[in-house]
Structure formats: C-alpha cells, structure tokens
Amino acid sequence: MKYISTRGTAPVLDFRATMLTGLARDGGLYLPEHVPPMTQAEIAALAGQSYEDLAYAVMRPFIGAAFDDDTLRKLIARAYQGFDHPARAPMKQLAPNHFLLELFHGPTLAFKDFAMQLIGQFFQEALARSGQRVTIVGATSGDTGSAAIEAFRGLKNVDVFILFPHGRVSEVQRRQMTTPDDANVHALAIDGDFDTCQALVKDMFNDFAFRDAVALAGVNSINWARVLAQVVYYFSAGVSLGAPHRPVSFTVPTGNFGDIFAGYIARAMGLPIEKLVVATNHNDILHRALSSGGYVTDGVRPSISPSMDIQVSSNFERALFDAYGRDGAAVAQLMDELKSTGGFQISQGALEYLREAFASGCASEDQTRATIARIAADTGEVLCPHSAVGVHVAESHLSATPMITLATAHPAKFPDAVQAATGQRPPLPARMADLFDRPERVTRLGNDLTALQAHIRGKIPA
Ligand SMILES: *Cc1c(COP(=O)(O)O)cnc(C)c1O
C-alpha cells in the first residue's frame, strides 16, 4: 500500500513512513493511493466479532509490510486492553431509530484514545526494530494532548512534548497532561491561545534543519494512522445494526474533520453509509461551506464544546482532494488562497461530490445545553457538550435509516457545562478519582519559537 500527498509533490511513502512523518513535506496530508474495498461477504463476516478481531480485519490491508499478522494482532490487543468496557465502543439507544456510539471508555475519556493508544503501540514497535528515536510534538486544546501523553508515556525511543494554551483548558484536561511522572513526558503551557500553539508546532515542522535534527514526528489528527484507527468503529457500529444488509447513517461532532473523514473511508471501503452528518457548534465553518460552497474563516468564538473550537479544519483537505478528482495542484491552489485571503470557493462539481456523502448542521450554545438536559431527563444518558451538539444535529436528520451519533467524550471531562445543564456534577470514573491529588509537572513558555526549540533540544538525549 502506497500513500500520496493531497498536494501532489511530496515523496510517495509506505505505511510506516507515513505514520512516522505526519505532515507531508509539501504541506499536504497523506492518503492511500487506493482505498481497498471490502466485499459484502467480508463485511457480513464482521458481525459478532470482538472489537480487536474486527479492527484487525478492517486495518490489515492498509498496513502492508509494516507489521506481520501476529505482530499487528498483538499491538491491537495491547492498545485496547486499558479500555474499561469489554465492547470498547458500546452502543446505546436514544430513540426508536437513533443510537449513541460511546467512544469514551478509554484511559483519557475521549474518542482520541482509540487512535492514540494504537499509534503508541505502532510507534514503539516500529522504532524498537530500527533503533531510531523520535521527538513527538503536538498542540492541543485539551483532549489530543492528554490522549497522546497517556499513549506514549514511559515508551522507549520517544519523547513527547505537548503544547497547550496556558489557562485555557479545563482543570481535568490540564491535570491529565501534567500529572504523569514519566521522564519522557513534557507538558508545556504556552502564553497564547490554541492557534498560537498550533502555529509553533507548524513552524517547527517547516524548519527542516530542526525537524531532521530531532527527528520530529507528529501525532495530531492529520496523521493517517489516526484516521485509520477510527475507521474501525464505523464498521463495528454499522454491522451491529445490520450492515451490510441494511444501510446506516452517522452524525459526528466535528472540529478538524478527522473523525468524520474516517467514516468517509469506511464508506469508500463498502460499508453502506447513507449520510455522514457533520455537526458543529457555533464555530460552523464546515456547515457554512457545505451549505453555500464558501469556505471562509471568521475567527474562533469560545464555546462549551472547546475541542471543536477551530478556525481551519485541517482534514477537510483530504475530502477536497477526492472532490477535485485527486488533483494535487488544484488543492495546493485552494490552500494558498486560504492562506492569503482567508477563504476560497468550492467549485460546483466538487460541492456536488461532497454533498453526495455529507450533510451538515450546527448547534448554538443554548441548543447544546437544552439537549444535555432533555436527553438526561428522557433517557438517563448524560452527554458531554460535544456529543450533545451531535445529538441536536442528528435529530433534524432522522429518517427510516438508523442514525448513529458519535459520543466523543465522557461527561466528567466537562463537568461545569454538564452541571450547568443538568444540575448534577458528573463524577470521574473510579480509576481516575485521585486525579486532583497527584502532583503536577509543567513548564511555562512564551510564544517564542527559538526558546521552545532550545528547550526541546535540552530535554532530549544528544
Ligand atoms: C477532538 C474532538 C472532537 C473533534 O474531532 P475531529 O476529529 O477534530 O473532528 C470532538 N469531540 C471531542 C470530545 C474531541 O476531543
């Protein structure tokens, strides 16, 4: 299996190199040259399998020679053993034809554990064999950072540096990043907002001398291996509701478009998905783009679903690549226009292509709070604000086809918003109950690339 860049000029890579690289050197994102199809019979055979066996069947064709069959099975088993539910991604029913896929039973209580725990295992295995050492850097608005730290803590051959905006993450999120005491974990509180952190990370990747000297690796949601890991639960949910014999639809609370793009890959592989519904909060650039064709940035407004407070939705580039007939030059031109003018117009043909697979909607802050309260009262299910955005949008897209809404985080990760909506403070799961007693370890840095690079060089083995 070969991987190509959405901007057409970066080297073609195999799975291993694609995973270790993250961002392509032409600024694009990697995608498989061909999406390997699954037959109806192969999809039907997934019914009743364990999450781990199903993950193996779905991911095997993408991984090529990077891992042999037994190794891949072993890495998948290790990745999901720390989840506290035997189904890994259990489903609940909310209404006659509306289901909730709970993706928050991993170690840091958000769906990002599904991908991050797996790529932690993948990195460790790949690096142990080659004796290479890498430096992982990532920017986070909260959930990515804690998931990455939990996945890479204590691993050999890896140092992990996570930049988060000082004072702008929830206390639970901050403590999940600052309390692991492993020597290879480095939590960095940056003076600025999430965009400041993300810009610093991008600048480090674009400084090729630094990038090569410290063997920089990226694990944010543009890393193809993360998208691949997320394809699996679309299959597990779909077959449990009767696919491939019956179609299903999904609604996905969306920020960087990584999670929903995994659904698009599942659909391309042959899972009968009628619609993939993009659900956004009041930062609704994706909803506006799919409605009007204009992809125009207009500043981030904070919300009670902060993991979806984004200005530029990185993984949307992957969908655009297909919508423009896999023309890397056309995508590069759109991205240049975005950079210089703050937006671009999607062509009519590309828009029609996108609308065949995707629908969209958004939820205001009031609608989000009202949904948390109503669903708790009606069903007993306590939603986090991100999941509530999904449920609100899904409710206006219900049809005869079963709708599955993705619940992306545990309510205890956002206790203030949930308490404001329901009057009840959601308790942390027992295994995390001492989070507020553990000592914190964090370095505060300014918005200064040179100082940051010096700090990183000083922390990693020469
Ligand atoms: C990251 C995150 C999202 C958005 O996922 P994308 O892949 O960026 O679209 C939604 N909800 C929660 C809780 C998250 O942590």
Side-chain angles (χ1 to χ4, degrees):
M1 171 79 54
K2 294 281 174 227
Y3 290 86
I4 56 173
S5 165
T6 50
R7 302 199 193 169
T9 60
V12 173
L13 300 178
D14 63 8
F15 178 80
R16 180 184 186 281
T18 300
M19 169 181 84
L20 292 175
T21 299
L23 191 67
R25 277 184 181 249
D26 59 5
L29 280 60
Y30 277 104
L31 271 176
E33 203 167 22
H34 305 286
V35 173
M38 286 181 84
T39 63
Q40 289 252 319
E42 284 168 337
I43 296 171
L46 300 175
Q49 293 200 26
S50 70
Y51 188 85
E52 285 79 355
D53 286 344
L54 193 145
Y56 176 83
V58 170
M59 293 192 292
R60 175 71 271 187
F62 289 93
I63 288 172
F67 304 117
D68 63 41
D69 296 355
D70 289 345
T71 305
L72 180 58
R73 282 193 188 278
K74 176 188 75 183
L75 300 177
I76 292 170
R78 283 190 193 149
Y80 299 115
Q81 72 191 5
F83 281 54
D84 71 0
H85 196 295
R88 310 311 183 211
M91 201 133 61
K92 295 244 173 88
Q93 189 161 10
L94 294 180
N97 216 15
H98 190 184
F99 299 82
L100 190 75
L101 182 62
E102 291 186 345
L103 299 176
F104 50 70
H105 294 279
T108 71
L109 310 181
F111 81 91
K112 292 186 172 77
D113 288 322
F114 276 90
M116 214 65 92
Q117 285 291 319
L118 188 68
I119 72 169
Q121 296 298 326
F122 280 6
F123 266 63
Q124 162 152 281
E125 182 74 20
L127 296 172
R129 276 194 223 163
S130 66
Q132 256 174 307
R133 188 175 184 92
V134 298
T135 304
I136 290 172
V137 297
T140 185
S141 56
D143 296 330
T144 298
S146 49
I149 285 173
E150 198 57 41
F152 289 94
R153 61 186 291 189
L155 296 191
K156 288 193 203 102
N157 300 336
V158 177
D159 276 288
V160 54
F161 293 84
I162 297 297
L163 286 64
F164 68 87
H166 177 71
R168 299 192 198 210
V169 297
S170 83
E171 188 168 3
V172 173
Q173 289 176 319
R174 189 190 74 235
R175 286 181 171 275
Q176 285 182 331
M177 294 189 275
T178 58
T179 57
D181 55 7
D182 308 78
N184 72 329
V185 168
H186 311 275
L188 305 177
I190 303 294
D191 291 319
D193 58 16
F194 171 65
D195 288 332
T196 311
C197 298
Q198 196 161 39
L200 285 166
V201 168
K202 273 220 171 108
D203 289 344
M204 286 192 279
F205 272 94
N206 287 326
D207 178 346
F208 287 166
F210 178 79
R211 176 173 178 167
D212 293 339
V214 305
L216 217 55
V219 296
N220 58 0
S221 73
I222 56 111
N223 190 305
W224 166 256
R226 279 188 58 187
V227 174
L228 176 60
Q230 293 168 190
V231 173
V232 174
Y233 48 69
Y234 287 89
F235 277 95
S236 74
V239 297
S240 76
L241 289 185
H245 313 296
R246 282 203 307 169
V248 291
S249 288
F250 288 92
T251 299
V252 186
T254 304
N256 243 332
F257 209 77
D259 204 5
I260 195 160
F261 189 76
Y264 169 88
I265 295 292
R267 191 174 189 262
M269 290 173 74
L271 185 67
I273 299 177
E274 192 172 281
K275 274 286 184 261
L276 289 160
V277 184
V278 172
T280 72
N281 63 27
H282 59 211
N283 296 296
D284 61 350
I285 182 167
L286 287 165
H287 175 52
R288 283 185 282 116
L290 288 165
S291 310
S292 72
Y295 186 92
V296 183
T297 57
D298 71 349
V300 174
R301 279 189 293 149
S303 78
I304 58 170
S305 46
S307 303
M308 309 198 299
D309 290 346
I310 58 104
Q311 161 100 285
V312 173
S313 191
S314 310
N315 278 291
F316 192 53
E317 180 169 341
R318 288 190 159 116
L320 286 171
F321 184 60
D322 276 0
Y324 279 82
R326 303 207 129 198
D327 178 350
V331 172
Q333 199 180 328
L334 293 177
M335 293 302 140
D336 283 347
E337 209 177 315
L338 177 64
K339 208 170 178 182
S340 55
T341 70
F344 56 80
Q345 187 67 33
I346 303 170
S347 75
Q348 196 52 40
L351 195 56
E352 277 163 23
Y353 178 92
L354 293 169
R355 285 178 178 162
E356 194 271 318
F358 298 104
S360 67
C362 64
S364 70
E365 297 286 273
D366 282 346
Q367 287 167 331
T368 305
R369 278 187 284 265
T371 303
I372 296 174
R374 177 170 50 81
I375 296 292
D378 289 355
T379 73
E381 181 80 9
V382 180
L383 299 170
C384 93
H386 309 77
S387 312
V389 166
V391 167
H392 173 82
V393 171
E395 284 173 341
S396 56
H397 287 84
L398 296 178
S399 71
T401 303
M403 175 62 80
I404 302 164
T405 297
L406 273 51
T408 51
H410 191 287
K413 220 166 172 179
F414 303 94
D416 297 335
V418 173
Q419 185 170 19
T422 64
Q424 306 275 349
R425 198 160 182 87
L428 281 169
R431 66 193 151 86
M432 301 182 56
D434 68 341
L435 187 65
F436 286 80
D437 305 326
R438 298 179 204 158
E440 293 190 75
R441 198 167 52 94
V442 58
T443 303
R444 182 142 170 214
L445 291 172
N447 177 12
D448 178 344
L449 180 64
T450 311
L452 173 62
Q453 289 177 326
H455 180 81
I456 291 175
R457 282 179 190 272
K459 290 284 180 193
I460 62 176

